[in-house]
Each structure stands twice: as C-alpha cells, then as structure tokens.
Amino acid sequence: MRADTRHLALPFFDDAHRALGEQLAGWAPAQQVDESDDRRACRQWVRLLGDAGWLRYCVPASAGGAMDKLDSRALVILRETLAFHSPLADFAFAMQGLGSGAITLAGTPAQQAAYLPAVARGDKIAAFALSEPDAGSDAGAMATSADAADGGWALNGCKTWISNGDIADFYVTFAKTDREAGTRGITAFIVDAGNPGLDSSEHIAVMAPHPLATLKFAHCKLPGEAQLGALNGGFKLAMQTLDIFRASVAAAALGMARRALFEAVRFSRERKMFGQTLADFQLTQAKIGEMAALIDAAALLTYRAAWLRDDSEASGAGKRITAEAAMAKMTATENAQRVIDMALQMHGGLGVKVGTKVESLYRDIRSLRIYEGATEVQQLIIGKAVLQS
Ligand code: COS
C-alpha cells in the first residue's frame, strides 16, 4: 500500500520535497525485509537505504549528501514515510543521521571525509552515545570521563540505551573533560567499534525489538584527532544535534499514527456488525474524526519545526528552534500513542493478536515518548522558553 502524500501540498514544502515524498512513497512498499532478527534486519535496511540513495539525506552535499545542508523537512518526509511502512526502517535511517549529526555540525574536514560519505552509502553504521545509567534526562550529570593520556585521550565509564549498540562502526560519545564544570565540561569524541577499550556486547532487549546495547569504556585510548568539536563544547553540540533530530522523531510518530488511522479506516469499512459495517456507527465515525484531528495537529507542529529550522539555516539567522522542536516531539508522540490505542480498540480482539499491524504499532510507539528527551523534558524545555520570552 502507498502512503498518502496529500500533506506535501502544504506550503511548508517546496517542489524538491514533494518529488522526494512521491518517490519514497513508491519505493518503500516494494521493499521486503524479514524483521524477525532486529540486528540482521537493521543492517539490511541500512544496505537498502544506502543503495537507494536515501541515506544521502543524512549528510550534507560536501560529504556526498543529497542537499547542501541537513534539511529538516527532507528528514521529516523520510522518517514519516518510512515509519508508515516499517518502524525498523525508520530507526535504521534515523540513527545514520543522529549518529553522524555531530560530525556534520562540528567535524574537521578530515573527520567529515572519514565518516560521512561512508554513512551516506550505508557502508558505516553510526551511533550516538549520550545517556548513562544515572544520566538520562539530566544529560549534564554524566560520569563517563575523558582524561589526557599519551598525547590523546583515555575514556572510562558506561553509556546505556545506545541505539545501534554493537552493530555500529563508530559511536559519537560524550564524556566529561572537566568534572567540576557541569554541562560546560563535556566533550564529544568519535570512538571506532573494535577499539579494545570498548565493550559493546551487553545487548538490551526491548518491547519493540531494535538494536540497543550498553557500552563500557575501560581505559579506552583515543588519538587526539578523535576529539569532535571544541574542548568542553560537547553539551551544546549534543543539544544542537537533538534540535535537528527531535522534530524528526515527531515525524516518525506521525508516520506510525497515519498507519494506525489507515488500518482503522480499512478495518471499519470491512468489519460487519449488527447488519452494517463498523464504519456506519456514529461512535466509530467520532473516533476516526478524533484520530484524524490529532494527526493533523501533530503534523502541523512537526512541519512548522522543520520549516523554521530550514528557514533559519537558509537565512543565516541561526535561531534556536529548541522549543518548537520540543512541542512537535511531545505532541506528535503523545498524539500517536492515543491514535494507535484507539485504532487497536477498534480492532477488538484482533488488536492484541500478535501479527496484527496495530499490535506492533502499539509497542513501536511507546519508546518514542521516552527517547531523545522524554515528554517531561520537552514540557520543561517549552515551559522555560515561554517564561524567558
Ligand atoms: N542549543 C545550543 N545550546 C544549548 C541548547 C541547544 N538546544 N540547549 C542548551 N544549550 C546550552 C545552554 O545555552 C547552556 O549554555 P551556557 O552554559 O553557555 O549557559 C547550556 O547548554 C546548559 O543548558 P541548560 O542550563 O538548559 O541545561 P540543563 O542541564 O538544565 O539541561 C535539558 C537541559 C534537560 C533540556 C537537557 O539536559 C536535555 O535535553 N536532556 C534530555 C537529554 C536527552 O534528550 N537524552 C536522550 C539522549 S538521545 S536518545
């Protein structure tokens, strides 16, 4: 089935976005990936996405990308469409962008050349290592440290909930370089998989399976060139990266919600009950109406956040869109959870049967309300911004 593309007519998008959305809507349903093993499937999705050229939207043109700069609206279209068809395909795409985003923003020419073209081809798998067992929402409280050693660095500590953990070729890792300086004492590093000081073997199983692991750094030696961006500038770099990708998490949630509505409409038209179809009942019509409005509200906030960032980049204004991205992420993920729950309820017993699309969506959506800043963190960000304005 082809994803609906009517929203591409909205003025947030230009013709290049419309062409991208139409092409992708034709490509995605034709892909066949056995997702029973999430690690194998994720690698396969990266291969397919790389070969088809879609990963080129994760890096800028100077490094083999499709557009001059990371384009938030293109990312939104890609994630929304991929998530409609396969949340795991969306995950594989998104992690290539999130994992390499800090290199795009702050990498030296040599770092960009070494990693970004390979990410765009799907030859290197990327990961973003920020969270720790005792530092999730409070990212600045991280304990992993990087100390000067042998002309380079030595990392010690632990990162957890790391997407692509143990299948990534490199990890953009954030560590304390000044323990007393809070968020102003964090630096980013590029850690290649295979470094003998890195153990990524502890996998984490979750309700919607995708590659996830804990990383342990034990005197993990890095050359000086592994430092990414300014010394002690890592927290801002992490936040700037999240500013780009949070709006795209909203888009992934939107894709899942649109799929749930699609399934609910299809099912309600087919299901016979009391001499009519489920869709003939006013109760069903009211639910479908509520679902559609929740989806459109999420869509408008998501497209606004993406458009604002692209517009700010194009004009060179460099305006932060943290609050708008937070509004999009919070609203789209929370609304999608409600829409998917309503679609599942409409399916009755079938809704909880393993193998039904709404059943897997119900599990897929849940973590989006938590990762890349939980709903409560988004509320905090928005609240602070309102109070400061
Ligand atoms: N862009 C640029 N700079 C930013 C920024 C952004 N989006 N957000 C914060 N900063 C800067 C601030 O300007 C401040 O700079 P100064 O030190 O020069 O004043 C600094 O970073 C610290 O900001 P703040 O005081 O707001 O930091 P807090 O420790 O209060 O943390 C939250 C803010 C909670 C918003 C942050 O820790 C966060 O986003 N947490 C969630 C992390 C997350 O998403 N984890 C999931 C990991 S990926 S799955």
Side-chain angles (χ1 to χ4, degrees):
M1 114 251 340
R2 204 175 191 281
D4 193 342
T5 51
R6 279 174 293 184
H7 54 275
L8 294 172
L10 287 168
F12 293 106
F13 301 110
D14 61 29
D15 286 344
H17 297 119
R18 292 183 186 109
L20 163 67
E22 294 296 346
Q23 266 185 321
L24 186 65
W27 179 85
Q31 309 311 307
Q32 299 291 335
V33 172
D34 171 2
E35 296 187 345
S36 54
D37 174 339
D38 57 299
R39 287 173 182 268
R40 194 184 56 211
C42 198
R43 285 181 192 279
Q44 198 180 339
W45 272 120
V46 170
R47 186 72 278 133
L48 289 171
L49 291 162
D51 288 349
W54 303 120
L55 295 179
R56 293 173 60 234
Y57 288 91
C58 293
V59 308
S62 55
M67 299 177 84
D68 280 351
K69 295 180 180 176
L70 281 185
D71 185 276
S72 290
R73 288 167 295 170
L75 291 174
V76 156
I77 290 168
L78 275 146
R79 292 202 62 180
E80 181 178 336
T81 312
L82 292 172
F84 181 89
H85 292 285
S86 159
L88 199 59
D90 162 64
F91 168 86
F93 173 82
M95 286 316 304
Q96 289 297 91
L98 180 66
S100 67
I103 303 179
T104 295
L105 292 177
T108 61
Q111 287 171 331
Q112 296 197 342
Y115 293 93
L116 299 182
V119 165
R121 288 191 304 269
D123 291 344
K124 274 190 193 291
I125 294 183
F128 181 80
L130 179 69
S131 299
E132 299 191 359
D134 293 320
S137 291
D138 186 6
M142 68 178 63
T144 296
S145 61
D147 297 295
D150 305 331
W153 298 92
L155 260 60
N156 285 288
C158 176
K159 295 281 172 187
T160 194
W161 308 116
I162 306 309
S163 291
N164 277 348
D166 213 29
I167 67 163
D169 292 288
F170 66 93
Y171 300 86
V172 166
T173 305
F174 297 84
K176 280 266 163 82
T177 33
D178 181 345
R179 289 178 181 75
E180 311 306 318
T183 55
R184 292 182 177 186
I186 292 168
T187 305
F189 298 91
I190 306 173
V191 183
D192 288 317
N195 186 314
L198 167 63
D199 175 2
S200 59
S201 62
E202 190 181 317
H203 297 180
I204 306 170
V206 282
M207 62 199 277
H210 61 274
L212 206 62
T214 294
L215 310 181
K216 291 173 192 148
F217 299 90
H219 207 66
C220 176
K221 284 194 186 163
L222 300 176
E225 307 85 70
Q227 182 186 320
L228 178 60
L231 184 66
N232 296 325
F235 186 79
K236 280 188 190 172
L237 183 55
M239 294 302 124
Q240 284 163 347
T241 310
L242 289 171
D243 277 352
I244 304 174
F245 288 95
R246 275 183 186 148
S248 80
V249 179
L254 189 54
M256 292 182 208
R258 286 196 197 278
R259 179 61 184 267
L261 177 60
F262 174 90
E263 298 292 334
V265 168
R266 178 165 67 181
F267 184 76
S268 66
R269 282 180 178 148
E270 286 167 3
R271 176 89 165 107
K272 299 276 190 304
M273 206 182 258
F274 301 108
Q276 51 186 356
T277 69
L278 194 56
D280 292 321
F281 289 94
Q282 279 196 329
L283 263 177
T284 306
Q285 292 160 15
K287 283 288 171 209
I288 300 263
E290 191 181 351
M291 290 159 85
L294 285 168
I295 288 173
D296 275 9
L300 291 173
L301 283 177
T302 303
Y303 302 154
R304 176 184 74 161
W307 175 81
L308 274 175
R309 182 174 175 279
D310 290 341
D311 186 56
S312 157
E313 287 283 304
S315 68
K319 188 178 164 296
R320 262 173 68 174
I321 53 112
T322 312
E324 290 86 352
M327 282 190 199
K329 200 232 170 216
M330 176 183 80
T331 306
T333 56
E334 294 291 333
N335 286 9
Q337 182 88 59
R338 288 175 61 193
V339 168
I340 292 167
D341 187 54
M342 284 188 249
L344 187 150
Q345 187 74 12
M346 212 175 277
H347 278 69
L350 269 180
V352 289
K353 187 174 172 218
V354 173
T356 305
K357 185 65 188 174
V358 288
E359 180 274 334
S360 59
L361 284 171
Y362 189 77
R363 289 181 289 105
D364 287 320
I365 189 60
R366 191 62 185 86
S367 61
L368 275 70
R369 290 167 56 206
I370 299 170
Y371 69 59
E372 285 185 46
T375 290
E376 294 73 13
V377 166
Q378 311 308 335
Q379 289 170 332
L380 198 74
I381 290 172
I382 301 162
K384 271 189 186 176
V386 171
L387 289 166
Q388 278 165 11
S389 65

